[in-house]
Amino acid sequence: MEEQRRLAEANNKTADWRKFGPYLTERQWGTVREDYSPDSNAWDFITHDMARSYAYRWGEEGLAGLSDDQQRLCFSVGLWNGVDAQLKERLFGLTNGQGNHGEDVKEQYYYLDSTPTHSYMKMLYKYPQQAFPYEDLVAQNAARTRLEPEYELLDTGIFDESRYFDVFVEYAKAGPDDMLVRITAHNRGPEAATLHVLPQLWFRNTWAWGYDDRRPELTTPQANLVQAQHATLGEYQLYCDQDTELLFCDNETNTDLSDELNKEDAYFKDGINDYLVAGRLKAVNPAQRGTKAAAHYVLTIAPGEAQVVRVRLSQPTHEAPFVDFDQVFGARQEEADVFYDCVQESVTEPDARAVQRQAFAGMLWSKQYYYYDVSQWLDGDPKWPAPTGPRQEGRNSTWRHLHNADIISMPDKWEYPWYAAWDLAFHCLPLAMVDASFAKQQLRLLCQDGYLHPNGQMPAYEWKFEDVNAPVHAWATWRVYQMDRKLNGGVGDHAFLEAVFQKLVMTFTWWVNRKDRDERNIFEGGFLGMDNIGVFDRSAPLPTGGKIEQSDGTSWMAMFALNLMRMALELAKTNPVYQEMASKFFEHFLYIAHAMTLGGGGKFNLWDEQDQFYYDVLHMPDDSRTRLRIRSMVGLIPLFAVEVLEDELLDAVPEFTARARWLVQHRPHLAELISRWQEPGKGARHLLSLMRRSRLHSVLTRMLDETEFLSDYGIRSLSRYHLEHPYEYHTEEASFEVAYLAGESDSDMFGGNSNWRGPVWFPVNYLIIESLQRFHSYYGDSFTVEYPTGSGKLHNLSQVADALSERMARLLLRNAEGLRPAFGQAGLLQTDPHFRDYLLFHEYFDGDTGNGLGASHQTGWTGLVVRLLHQHDKTLA
């Protein structure tokens, strides 16, 4: 297949098919990287309104954008309906302070297709024909409380009578440096309407900071052609079909409009905007040269009709650039279909295939060039005044080693346009299904010296690199290794596995040294990605003093130990030295399991015999301990620490096996915690788990209870029991409460833009499903549980895993009434033929209704649905 050939050429470095891709972010304003404020107020330092006039330091944004992999040359689409007060060059949304549930994009756009090499890509932007309701969206959301739903673009009525344009942007590559762009605008309204379409080309500003003064240039040597000259990228041409007006300015900040407008030679970043929208003819360069350019097309489109704009961005020159245009597009589309026919071989239902393909599209469109040098950012640049305020001791000041300049998979390129360690780990599983090489590169990236702290800590996210995410990197590495091995006929990439393993040993050591203060194998960790799940902010000093001994933190570390043990055993097949490393992590797992269940002579068990559930424990300064009896995902995460070893593997690693047997025989207090290690299960397998059979049954009985965790759409993050029985904790100064809340958060903890007190989240549900599959691989049909609890219907754990997979997939698939639960009550999304087939992949989902919530394009971990839709993949790869 052609797409597989391109992937092979890219991997072998014979043709750089990944050089150009959708690497522009959708929001560079409001990010930490661009924040040079004295008070570290990133959201207000550069706002959406300022963005059109501000030349960014660290990256570029654009609508349906494309760039090279170092983001030197950028392309995107600008639009104007003739009535907006500014061009539509970037997506609009509310800041964290403006939204009643934190930051939120207020646009309708969809990623529809992409191949792994981006040889074909397609997205859709819905552009209103009336004035975009910027002020209304800000005002209405400001007037709402956290108890009210968000006011969305659909709520404004802007799409009533279908008065909008569907603007489809497609890319097709004729070669690694030859990109064809087709922009198709459909008038969905009842009357003819005018649309200005502006294919835009510009250089990221690399010359204004004092490191490299070489200035690239855009010129027009002939009509309908923009030529780009760059010192390191070379020469490119933007060919424009049909006669068009070419407009030029510079990617320079318009620092003071009142003064700068009188400068004869000043043509700022907002020049094209001001020329068209404000009629300022002197805002663009009459000499037709600069570092930013646009081709200006004016389309008058009849109702129900469409018009097309075609351009071609190419390093090779073409005498007739549009002769083969339609042929190339047709070929790339056909090749994309052939590629996905292979990927989706086992997915036969048309709606499921559409959901899965758009999920892949969202994953692949969410790649972004991420550039951040913390030392330069802290100290400032040679040509600019030094930053003011307590910057040297403030945000990220202990991460001076960090230098990132790579293509990275983002959680959501508007709401979260920065990588997050545990998000990225989950992203890599869906990505590995279509581009295992890229998935492996992503996992290696965070372990490199410019990312991983010298002390071994993995960077969390740019708002606070020293925060702590759940340590799932080893799990993702092992799973991607398995998937890649299966795709390669049983041959595993040992170099990849070994490289990541060596660095993760440092990370494990960091956890042991920093998050086990009392050296008793009970771990803290902070919020661990589950923002408001606790009664307190777990990343801040506790109002009670003391610390929280975390069920989830400790369980994640048990899982981490097992993951590293399994990786070491695989490496030991070719290098016996790794048997010692495997033994070390096997033993550490035993000590964690012991501490979690019987630590301190039973004084601070995280397991509660009365409730048959795991809880966090509040450890007070006077050495007293209180279980925080909140039935939450915290108590289910112990399920994830499970590994099954086969006799065949143990026979291949005799030193490890001998050490394991010695520990079992001579440390019986540890051995009794291992569920059935000495008693082979199904197929001569041995089980390592935090839970003995009885505890596993107890936890699953609660988890599969529809009055507690089990919803129609997966496992809730907090038991519904707390709807009528909120958990309360009282101190002399204050009272704290955790209650079940199925939808958006009513708290401002961690910005208030996510909620772990009831909704369904894909990443932890996916881990639950995998864990059940792993338990079943040991127990087989001998272990059954009521599903749902109280139904009287017994199922083995594989059947329960399949049923949970179906519930999760149900969120996005059409039900018997033809509705998608994730779309909620939005009638337009559910029934309109120009909306209903386009998917959004939300961050999390209402625990009762399934309505999609939070970030609307977080395909990253919600993209795990592509794994669940592979019905043949019932067991681990």
Side-chain angles (χ1 to χ4, degrees), residues 843-866:
E843 183 179 5
Y844 55 98
F845 301 84
D846 188 289
D848 293 338
T849 69
N851 187 29
L853 301 167
S856 55
H857 293 75
Q858 192 153 350
T859 323
W861 60 24
T862 301
L864 288 163
V865 71
V866 304

PDB file of all heavy atoms in Angstrom, residues 843-866:
ATOM      1  N   GLU A 843     -13.288  15.551  26.640  1.00  0.00           N
ATOM      2  CA  GLU A 843     -12.326  15.194  27.686  1.00  0.00           C
ATOM      3  C   GLU A 843     -12.908  14.173  28.660  1.00  0.00           C
ATOM      4  O   GLU A 843     -12.234  13.244  29.086  1.00  0.00           O
ATOM      5  CB  GLU A 843     -11.923  16.468  28.417  1.00  0.00           C
ATOM      6  CG  GLU A 843     -10.876  16.322  29.479  1.00  0.00           C
ATOM      7  CD  GLU A 843     -10.546  17.661  30.123  1.00  0.00           C
ATOM      8  OE1 GLU A 843     -11.197  18.678  29.796  1.00  0.00           O
ATOM      9  OE2 GLU A 843      -9.637  17.679  30.962  1.00  0.00           O
ATOM     10  N   TYR A 844     -14.175  14.347  29.020  1.00  0.00           N
ATOM     11  CA  TYR A 844     -14.859  13.423  29.919  1.00  0.00           C
ATOM     12  C   TYR A 844     -16.357  13.510  29.657  1.00  0.00           C
ATOM     13  O   TYR A 844     -16.806  14.329  28.843  1.00  0.00           O
ATOM     14  CB  TYR A 844     -14.527  13.705  31.390  1.00  0.00           C
ATOM     15  CG  TYR A 844     -14.791  15.124  31.864  1.00  0.00           C
ATOM     16  CD1 TYR A 844     -15.959  15.446  32.553  1.00  0.00           C
ATOM     17  CD2 TYR A 844     -13.865  16.142  31.659  1.00  0.00           C
ATOM     18  CE1 TYR A 844     -16.200  16.738  32.998  1.00  0.00           C
ATOM     19  CE2 TYR A 844     -14.094  17.430  32.100  1.00  0.00           C
ATOM     20  CZ  TYR A 844     -15.266  17.734  32.764  1.00  0.00           C
ATOM     21  OH  TYR A 844     -15.494  19.011  33.202  1.00  0.00           O
ATOM     22  N   PHE A 845     -17.148  12.653  30.342  1.00  0.00           N
ATOM     23  CA  PHE A 845     -18.548  12.492  29.977  1.00  0.00           C
ATOM     24  C   PHE A 845     -19.414  12.410  31.231  1.00  0.00           C
ATOM     25  O   PHE A 845     -19.015  11.811  32.244  1.00  0.00           O
ATOM     26  CB  PHE A 845     -18.730  11.233  29.115  1.00  0.00           C
ATOM     27  CG  PHE A 845     -17.929  11.268  27.850  1.00  0.00           C
ATOM     28  CD1 PHE A 845     -16.590  10.873  27.843  1.00  0.00           C
ATOM     29  CD2 PHE A 845     -18.480  11.737  26.674  1.00  0.00           C
ATOM     30  CE1 PHE A 845     -15.829  10.928  26.688  1.00  0.00           C
ATOM     31  CE2 PHE A 845     -17.727  11.795  25.500  1.00  0.00           C
ATOM     32  CZ  PHE A 845     -16.407  11.390  25.509  1.00  0.00           C
ATOM     33  N   ASP A 846     -20.594  12.994  31.155  1.00  0.00           N
ATOM     34  CA  ASP A 846     -21.523  13.004  32.275  1.00  0.00           C
ATOM     35  C   ASP A 846     -21.774  11.574  32.753  1.00  0.00           C
ATOM     36  O   ASP A 846     -22.092  10.680  31.965  1.00  0.00           O
ATOM     37  CB  ASP A 846     -22.836  13.665  31.836  1.00  0.00           C
ATOM     38  CG  ASP A 846     -23.793  13.885  32.983  1.00  0.00           C
ATOM     39  OD1 ASP A 846     -24.342  12.897  33.499  1.00  0.00           O
ATOM     40  OD2 ASP A 846     -24.015  15.059  33.372  1.00  0.00           O
ATOM     41  N   GLY A 847     -21.644  11.377  34.064  1.00  0.00           N
ATOM     42  CA  GLY A 847     -21.764  10.037  34.622  1.00  0.00           C
ATOM     43  C   GLY A 847     -23.155   9.454  34.568  1.00  0.00           C
ATOM     44  O   GLY A 847     -23.331   8.250  34.778  1.00  0.00           O
ATOM     45  N   ASP A 848     -24.169  10.275  34.280  1.00  0.00           N
ATOM     46  CA  ASP A 848     -25.539   9.781  34.182  1.00  0.00           C
ATOM     47  C   ASP A 848     -26.056   9.775  32.746  1.00  0.00           C
ATOM     48  O   ASP A 848     -26.681   8.811  32.313  1.00  0.00           O
ATOM     49  CB  ASP A 848     -26.472  10.627  35.056  1.00  0.00           C
ATOM     50  CG  ASP A 848     -26.179  10.464  36.535  1.00  0.00           C
ATOM     51  OD1 ASP A 848     -25.580   9.436  36.917  1.00  0.00           O
ATOM     52  OD2 ASP A 848     -26.532  11.367  37.311  1.00  0.00           O
ATOM     53  N   THR A 849     -25.785  10.867  31.995  1.00  0.00           N
ATOM     54  CA  THR A 849     -26.363  11.014  30.658  1.00  0.00           C
ATOM     55  C   THR A 849     -25.401  10.680  29.529  1.00  0.00           C
ATOM     56  O   THR A 849     -25.826  10.446  28.404  1.00  0.00           O
ATOM     57  CB  THR A 849     -26.867  12.445  30.442  1.00  0.00           C
ATOM     58  OG1 THR A 849     -25.742  13.343  30.380  1.00  0.00           O
ATOM     59  CG2 THR A 849     -27.799  12.871  31.570  1.00  0.00           C
ATOM     60  N   GLY A 850     -24.096  10.710  29.817  1.00  0.00           N
ATOM     61  CA  GLY A 850     -23.102  10.498  28.772  1.00  0.00           C
ATOM     62  C   GLY A 850     -22.752  11.732  27.987  1.00  0.00           C
ATOM     63  O   GLY A 850     -21.928  11.678  27.063  1.00  0.00           O
ATOM     64  N   ASN A 851     -23.339  12.872  28.306  1.00  0.00           N
ATOM     65  CA  ASN A 851     -23.072  14.110  27.582  1.00  0.00           C
ATOM     66  C   ASN A 851     -21.587  14.463  27.644  1.00  0.00           C
ATOM     67  O   ASN A 851     -20.965  14.417  28.691  1.00  0.00           O
ATOM     68  CB  ASN A 851     -23.902  15.243  28.204  1.00  0.00           C
ATOM     69  CG  ASN A 851     -23.814  16.532  27.418  1.00  0.00           C
ATOM     70  OD1 ASN A 851     -23.620  16.521  26.204  1.00  0.00           O
ATOM     71  ND2 ASN A 851     -23.939  17.651  28.104  1.00  0.00           N
ATOM     72  N   GLY A 852     -21.007  14.826  26.491  1.00  0.00           N
ATOM     73  CA  GLY A 852     -19.599  15.182  26.429  1.00  0.00           C
ATOM     74  C   GLY A 852     -19.318  16.492  27.126  1.00  0.00           C
ATOM     75  O   GLY A 852     -20.050  17.475  26.948  1.00  0.00           O
ATOM     76  N   LEU A 853     -18.223  16.548  27.911  1.00  0.00           N
ATOM     77  CA  LEU A 853     -17.903  17.717  28.723  1.00  0.00           C
ATOM     78  C   LEU A 853     -16.408  18.013  28.639  1.00  0.00           C
ATOM     79  O   LEU A 853     -15.619  17.204  28.169  1.00  0.00           O
ATOM     80  CB  LEU A 853     -18.291  17.467  30.186  1.00  0.00           C
ATOM     81  CG  LEU A 853     -19.764  17.142  30.468  1.00  0.00           C
ATOM     82  CD1 LEU A 853     -19.923  16.614  31.883  1.00  0.00           C
ATOM     83  CD2 LEU A 853     -20.644  18.372  30.239  1.00  0.00           C
ATOM     84  N   GLY A 854     -16.058  19.209  29.125  1.00  0.00           N
ATOM     85  CA  GLY A 854     -14.657  19.606  29.142  1.00  0.00           C
ATOM     86  C   GLY A 854     -14.161  19.941  27.755  1.00  0.00           C
ATOM     87  O   GLY A 854     -14.928  20.346  26.872  1.00  0.00           O
ATOM     88  N   ALA A 855     -12.863  19.800  27.539  1.00  0.00           N
ATOM     89  CA  ALA A 855     -12.278  20.078  26.233  1.00  0.00           C
ATOM     90  C   ALA A 855     -12.988  19.244  25.172  1.00  0.00           C
ATOM     91  O   ALA A 855     -13.207  18.051  25.351  1.00  0.00           O
ATOM     92  CB  ALA A 855     -10.787  19.770  26.251  1.00  0.00           C
ATOM     93  N   SER A 856     -13.345  19.880  24.054  1.00  0.00           N
ATOM     94  CA  SER A 856     -14.175  19.203  23.056  1.00  0.00           C
ATOM     95  C   SER A 856     -13.374  18.476  21.991  1.00  0.00           C
ATOM     96  O   SER A 856     -13.933  17.721  21.198  1.00  0.00           O
ATOM     97  CB  SER A 856     -15.109  20.215  22.380  1.00  0.00           C
ATOM     98  OG  SER A 856     -14.369  21.287  21.828  1.00  0.00           O
ATOM     99  N   HIS A 857     -12.057  18.700  21.951  1.00  0.00           N
ATOM    100  CA  HIS A 857     -11.222  18.054  20.934  1.00  0.00           C
ATOM    101  C   HIS A 857     -10.069  17.295  21.579  1.00  0.00           C
ATOM    102  O   HIS A 857      -8.979  17.224  21.028  1.00  0.00           O
ATOM    103  CB  HIS A 857     -10.702  19.096  19.946  1.00  0.00           C
ATOM    104  CG  HIS A 857     -11.783  19.697  19.104  1.00  0.00           C
ATOM    105  ND1 HIS A 857     -12.672  20.642  19.604  1.00  0.00           N
ATOM    106  CD2 HIS A 857     -12.159  19.483  17.818  1.00  0.00           C
ATOM    107  CE1 HIS A 857     -13.523  20.975  18.647  1.00  0.00           C
ATOM    108  NE2 HIS A 857     -13.234  20.288  17.568  1.00  0.00           N
ATOM    109  N   GLN A 858     -10.340  16.712  22.751  1.00  0.00           N
ATOM    110  CA  GLN A 858      -9.302  15.954  23.440  1.00  0.00           C
ATOM    111  C   GLN A 858      -9.300  14.532  22.922  1.00  0.00           C
ATOM    112  O   GLN A 858      -9.524  13.564  23.650  1.00  0.00           O
ATOM    113  CB  GLN A 858      -9.478  15.982  24.958  1.00  0.00           C
ATOM    114  CG  GLN A 858      -8.242  15.456  25.657  1.00  0.00           C
ATOM    115  CD  GLN A 858      -8.039  16.016  27.036  1.00  0.00           C
ATOM    116  OE1 GLN A 858      -8.711  16.939  27.427  1.00  0.00           O
ATOM    117  NE2 GLN A 858      -7.093  15.475  27.781  1.00  0.00           N
ATOM    118  N   THR A 859      -9.033  14.432  21.612  1.00  0.00           N
ATOM    119  CA  THR A 859      -9.005  13.105  21.008  1.00  0.00           C
ATOM    120  C   THR A 859      -7.936  12.250  21.654  1.00  0.00           C
ATOM    121  O   THR A 859      -8.035  11.032  21.663  1.00  0.00           O
ATOM    122  CB  THR A 859      -8.741  13.219  19.497  1.00  0.00           C
ATOM    123  OG1 THR A 859      -9.425  14.367  18.991  1.00  0.00           O
ATOM    124  CG2 THR A 859      -9.242  11.997  18.773  1.00  0.00           C
ATOM    125  N   GLY A 860      -6.892  12.895  22.203  1.00  0.00           N
ATOM    126  CA  GLY A 860      -5.769  12.188  22.795  1.00  0.00           C
ATOM    127  C   GLY A 860      -6.165  10.945  23.543  1.00  0.00           C
ATOM    128  O   GLY A 860      -6.077   9.829  23.031  1.00  0.00           O
ATOM    129  N   TRP A 861      -6.672  11.090  24.788  1.00  0.00           N
ATOM    130  CA  TRP A 861      -6.981   9.851  25.517  1.00  0.00           C
ATOM    131  C   TRP A 861      -8.387   9.358  25.232  1.00  0.00           C
ATOM    132  O   TRP A 861      -8.649   8.162  25.329  1.00  0.00           O
ATOM    133  CB  TRP A 861      -6.681   9.973  26.989  1.00  0.00           C
ATOM    134  CG  TRP A 861      -7.373  11.006  27.821  1.00  0.00           C
ATOM    135  CD1 TRP A 861      -8.562  11.616  27.603  1.00  0.00           C
ATOM    136  CD2 TRP A 861      -6.879  11.513  29.070  1.00  0.00           C
ATOM    137  NE1 TRP A 861      -8.853  12.475  28.635  1.00  0.00           N
ATOM    138  CE2 TRP A 861      -7.831  12.433  29.548  1.00  0.00           C
ATOM    139  CE3 TRP A 861      -5.742  11.260  29.829  1.00  0.00           C
ATOM    140  CZ2 TRP A 861      -7.681  13.104  30.754  1.00  0.00           C
ATOM    141  CZ3 TRP A 861      -5.592  11.934  31.020  1.00  0.00           C
ATOM    142  CH2 TRP A 861      -6.546  12.853  31.476  1.00  0.00           C
ATOM    143  N   THR A 862      -9.301  10.225  24.812  1.00  0.00           N
ATOM    144  CA  THR A 862     -10.605   9.715  24.381  1.00  0.00           C
ATOM    145  C   THR A 862     -10.463   8.953  23.073  1.00  0.00           C
ATOM    146  O   THR A 862     -11.299   8.106  22.732  1.00  0.00           O
ATOM    147  CB  THR A 862     -11.614  10.865  24.275  1.00  0.00           C
ATOM    148  OG1 THR A 862     -11.729  11.496  25.557  1.00  0.00           O
ATOM    149  CG2 THR A 862     -12.986  10.382  23.855  1.00  0.00           C
ATOM    150  N   GLY A 863      -9.369   9.202  22.345  1.00  0.00           N
ATOM    151  CA  GLY A 863      -9.068   8.415  21.150  1.00  0.00           C
ATOM    152  C   GLY A 863      -8.824   6.951  21.447  1.00  0.00           C
ATOM    153  O   GLY A 863      -8.756   6.133  20.524  1.00  0.00           O
ATOM    154  N   LEU A 864      -8.708   6.590  22.726  1.00  0.00           N
ATOM    155  CA  LEU A 864      -8.618   5.173  23.081  1.00  0.00           C
ATOM    156  C   LEU A 864      -9.828   4.385  22.602  1.00  0.00           C
ATOM    157  O   LEU A 864      -9.794   3.147  22.557  1.00  0.00           O
ATOM    158  CB  LEU A 864      -8.482   5.022  24.601  1.00  0.00           C
ATOM    159  CG  LEU A 864      -7.122   5.436  25.196  1.00  0.00           C
ATOM    160  CD1 LEU A 864      -7.233   5.635  26.699  1.00  0.00           C
ATOM    161  CD2 LEU A 864      -6.053   4.390  24.873  1.00  0.00           C
ATOM    162  N   VAL A 865     -10.891   5.094  22.220  1.00  0.00           N
ATOM    163  CA  VAL A 865     -12.065   4.398  21.687  1.00  0.00           C
ATOM    164  C   VAL A 865     -11.699   3.573  20.458  1.00  0.00           C
ATOM    165  O   VAL A 865     -12.354   2.569  20.162  1.00  0.00           O
ATOM    166  CB  VAL A 865     -13.194   5.409  21.370  1.00  0.00           C
ATOM    167  CG1 VAL A 865     -12.852   6.272  20.163  1.00  0.00           C
ATOM    168  CG2 VAL A 865     -14.519   4.693  21.151  1.00  0.00           C
ATOM    169  N   VAL A 866     -10.648   3.965  19.732  1.00  0.00           N
ATOM    170  CA  VAL A 866     -10.275   3.177  18.550  1.00  0.00           C
ATOM    171  C   VAL A 866      -9.859   1.769  18.944  1.00  0.00           C
ATOM    172  O   VAL A 866     -10.063   0.819  18.179  1.00  0.00           O
ATOM    173  CB  VAL A 866      -9.149   3.859  17.734  1.00  0.00           C
ATOM    174  CG1 VAL A 866      -9.551   5.271  17.332  1.00  0.00           C
ATOM    175  CG2 VAL A 866      -7.824   3.859  18.459  1.00  0.00           C
TER     176      VAL A 866
END
